[in-house]
Amino acid sequence: MTDLARATSLLTIDVDAVVANWRRIATLIAPAEAAAVVKADCYGLGVVQIAPALFAAGCRSFFVANLDEGIQLRKIVPGGVIYVLSGPVGGGEQDFAAHGLIPVLNSLAQITGWSAFAKAGSAAPASAIHLDTGMTRLGLEEVEVERLAAKPDVLASVRPILAMSHLACADDDTAPKNNEQLATFRRLSSQLPAMPLSLSASGGIFLGRAFRFDMARPGAALYGLNPIPGRPNPMAQVVRLQGKILQVRDVDSPMTVGYGATHRVAQRGKIATVAVGYADGWLRSLSNRGHGVIGGFKVPLVGRVSMDLTTFDVADVPAPLVHPGALIDLISPELTVDEVASEAGTIGYEILTALGRRHHRRWLTGTREGKPA
Ligand SMILES: *Cc1c(COP(=O)(O)O)cnc(C)c1O
């Protein structure tokens, strides 16, 4: 039996679609540079498979969240320029240098630490400086930018090659906060020596040319999430998740389905039990709310999602399509990650990064089928 035949769920990741999405953004924002945000294992989709494909397509700058991700990525894309968003934490400077990772310096303390490390004669990589323009998570506030600007020797010693900030409301092009942050970014960055600037992630790119500066940092859009919610998604879909039907049950009133007996059967029908549950990232909040698609028929999710299983009302689907071993689409081009997220009361980012390790995964590149590395 092949792995595929034995699998109870199948996660297919279209690497070519990720590359096409990156190319699309790179073309759109040229001459600004399109980096790629590949943190959290490429939002759960496989950095080992995806990052080299992006590099081969011409992507040169990559962002990860922490040092361990940076060290892993250095092995995967030896020639990439790798930025680590958290910067050095707890004295990790030496590791950054050893692996040629560029820290994003998010505070005066991190800048002081990196400066001391660089001045101590170590071959410290260049750095990026994070300016807080209104997110209030990481980055220098205005008074801190002024203090830094007053110490040109410190500033020079950290060799900044990028000043960046992050937008709070980029998914809403009517939010006044976007232009406020743009103005603040211009003001703060102008107090520093001239260097490349980066403000936008996926959403910001679509707010217009003024937001693109020298580099954009898309993540979500590469993985097929809609960077302009409420308008047609310009990005190609990347993910397909299929669950296998384990059993089909004939039901009738007054039976109930699943934990808590939350679904009461009202009339004669059929329930398909599918081998995907919240342990696979199929969120429990989809209970009695989500749906699947089988042979083009939309089927409602009934009862509670449990750890390994989910139940669907398949009464309206032609019988030949519904049998043990048949696959039901849980995420597909017709049932997008964004749609599943809205049914689950969350955002596509959370659906992607929650996708479980238990799915049989395949990565599509051209006609080849990739295997786990
Ligand atoms: C995660 C992240 C990004 C990518 O954001 P998307 O919305 O996924 O494009 C860019 N910049 C920073 C600072 C981030 O933390």
Side-chain angles (χ1 to χ4, degrees), residues 168-178 203 207 227-229 231:
C169 305
D171 58 350
D172 174 7
D173 62 2
T174 67
K177 182 122 189 163
N178 292 324
L207 292 174
I228 43 173
R231 284 183 279 159

CSV table of all heavy atoms in Angstrom, one decimal, residues 168-178 203 207 227-229 231:
chain,number,residue,atom,x,y,z
A,168,ALA,N,-0.3,48.5,11.4
A,168,ALA,CA,-1.3,47.9,12.2
A,168,ALA,C,-2.6,47.5,11.5
A,168,ALA,O,-3.3,46.6,11.8
A,168,ALA,CB,-1.6,48.8,13.4
A,169,CYS,N,-2.9,48.3,10.5
A,169,CYS,CA,-4.2,48.2,9.8
A,169,CYS,C,-4.2,48.0,8.3
A,169,CYS,O,-5.1,48.5,7.6
A,169,CYS,CB,-5.1,49.4,10.2
A,169,CYS,SG,-5.2,49.7,11.9
A,170,ALA,N,-3.1,47.4,7.9
A,170,ALA,CA,-2.9,47.4,6.4
A,170,ALA,C,-3.9,46.6,5.6
A,170,ALA,O,-4.1,46.8,4.4
A,170,ALA,CB,-1.5,46.8,6.1
A,171,ASP,N,-4.7,45.8,6.3
A,171,ASP,CA,-5.7,45.0,5.6
A,171,ASP,C,-7.0,45.8,5.5
A,171,ASP,O,-8.0,45.3,4.9
A,171,ASP,CB,-6.1,43.7,6.4
A,171,ASP,CG,-6.5,44.0,7.8
A,171,ASP,OD1,-6.4,45.1,8.3
A,171,ASP,OD2,-6.9,43.0,8.5
A,172,ASP,N,-7.0,47.1,5.9
A,172,ASP,CA,-8.1,48.0,5.8
A,172,ASP,C,-7.7,49.3,5.1
A,172,ASP,O,-7.1,50.1,5.8
A,172,ASP,CB,-8.8,48.2,7.1
A,172,ASP,CG,-9.9,49.2,7.1
A,172,ASP,OD1,-10.3,49.6,6.0
A,172,ASP,OD2,-10.4,49.6,8.2
A,173,ASP,N,-8.0,49.4,3.8
A,173,ASP,CA,-7.4,50.6,3.1
A,173,ASP,C,-8.2,51.9,3.5
A,173,ASP,O,-7.8,53.0,3.0
A,173,ASP,CB,-7.3,50.4,1.6
A,173,ASP,CG,-8.7,50.2,1.0
A,173,ASP,OD1,-9.7,50.2,1.7
A,173,ASP,OD2,-8.7,49.9,-0.2
A,174,THR,N,-9.2,51.8,4.3
A,174,THR,CA,-9.9,53.0,4.7
A,174,THR,C,-9.4,53.5,6.1
A,174,THR,O,-9.8,54.5,6.6
A,174,THR,CB,-11.4,52.8,4.8
A,174,THR,OG1,-11.7,51.9,5.9
A,174,THR,CG2,-12.0,52.2,3.5
A,175,ALA,N,-8.5,52.7,6.7
A,175,ALA,CA,-8.1,53.0,8.1
A,175,ALA,C,-7.2,54.3,8.1
A,175,ALA,O,-6.1,54.2,7.4
A,175,ALA,CB,-7.4,51.9,8.8
A,176,PRO,N,-7.5,55.3,8.8
A,176,PRO,CA,-6.7,56.5,8.8
A,176,PRO,C,-5.3,56.2,9.4
A,176,PRO,O,-4.3,56.9,9.1
A,176,PRO,CB,-7.4,57.5,9.8
A,176,PRO,CG,-8.7,56.9,10.0
A,176,PRO,CD,-8.7,55.5,9.6
A,177,LYS,N,-5.2,55.2,10.2
A,177,LYS,CA,-3.9,54.8,10.8
A,177,LYS,C,-2.8,54.5,9.8
A,177,LYS,O,-1.6,54.8,10.1
A,177,LYS,CB,-4.1,53.6,11.7
A,177,LYS,CG,-2.9,53.1,12.5
A,177,LYS,CD,-3.2,53.1,14.0
A,177,LYS,CE,-1.8,52.8,14.7
A,177,LYS,NZ,-1.9,53.2,16.1
A,178,ASN,N,-3.2,54.1,8.6
A,178,ASN,CA,-2.2,53.8,7.6
A,178,ASN,C,-1.4,55.0,7.2
A,178,ASN,O,-0.1,55.0,7.2
A,178,ASN,CB,-2.8,53.1,6.4
A,178,ASN,CG,-3.4,51.8,6.6
A,178,ASN,OD1,-2.8,51.0,7.4
A,178,ASN,ND2,-4.5,51.5,6.0
A,203,GLY,N,-0.3,43.3,3.2
A,203,GLY,CA,-1.4,44.3,3.0
A,203,GLY,C,-0.9,45.7,2.6
A,203,GLY,O,-1.5,46.3,1.7
A,207,LEU,N,-1.6,49.1,-0.6
A,207,LEU,CA,-2.1,50.4,-0.2
A,207,LEU,C,-1.5,51.5,-1.2
A,207,LEU,O,-1.9,52.7,-1.1
A,207,LEU,CB,-1.7,50.8,1.2
A,207,LEU,CG,-2.3,50.0,2.3
A,207,LEU,CD1,-1.8,50.3,3.7
A,207,LEU,CD2,-3.9,50.1,2.3
A,227,PRO,N,-4.6,39.6,0.5
A,227,PRO,CA,-4.0,40.8,1.2
A,227,PRO,C,-5.0,42.0,1.1
A,227,PRO,O,-4.7,43.0,1.8
A,227,PRO,CB,-2.8,41.1,0.3
A,227,PRO,CG,-3.1,40.5,-1.0
A,227,PRO,CD,-4.0,39.3,-0.8
A,228,ILE,N,-6.1,41.9,0.4
A,228,ILE,CA,-7.1,42.9,0.3
A,228,ILE,C,-8.5,42.4,0.6
A,228,ILE,O,-9.3,42.3,-0.3
A,228,ILE,CB,-7.0,43.6,-1.1
A,228,ILE,CG1,-6.9,42.6,-2.2
A,228,ILE,CG2,-5.8,44.6,-1.2
A,228,ILE,CD1,-7.0,43.2,-3.6
A,229,PRO,N,-8.7,42.1,1.8
A,229,PRO,CA,-10.0,41.5,2.2
A,229,PRO,C,-11.2,42.3,1.7
A,229,PRO,O,-11.1,43.5,1.8
A,229,PRO,CB,-9.9,41.4,3.8
A,229,PRO,CG,-8.5,41.5,4.1
A,229,PRO,CD,-7.8,42.3,3.0
A,231,ARG,N,-12.1,42.4,-1.3
A,231,ARG,CA,-12.0,42.5,-2.8
A,231,ARG,C,-11.5,41.1,-3.3
A,231,ARG,O,-11.0,40.3,-2.5
A,231,ARG,CB,-11.0,43.6,-3.2
A,231,ARG,CG,-11.7,45.0,-3.0
A,231,ARG,CD,-10.7,46.1,-3.5
A,231,ARG,NE,-9.8,46.5,-2.4
A,231,ARG,CZ,-8.6,47.1,-2.6
A,231,ARG,NH1,-8.3,47.4,-3.9
A,231,ARG,NH2,-7.8,47.4,-1.7
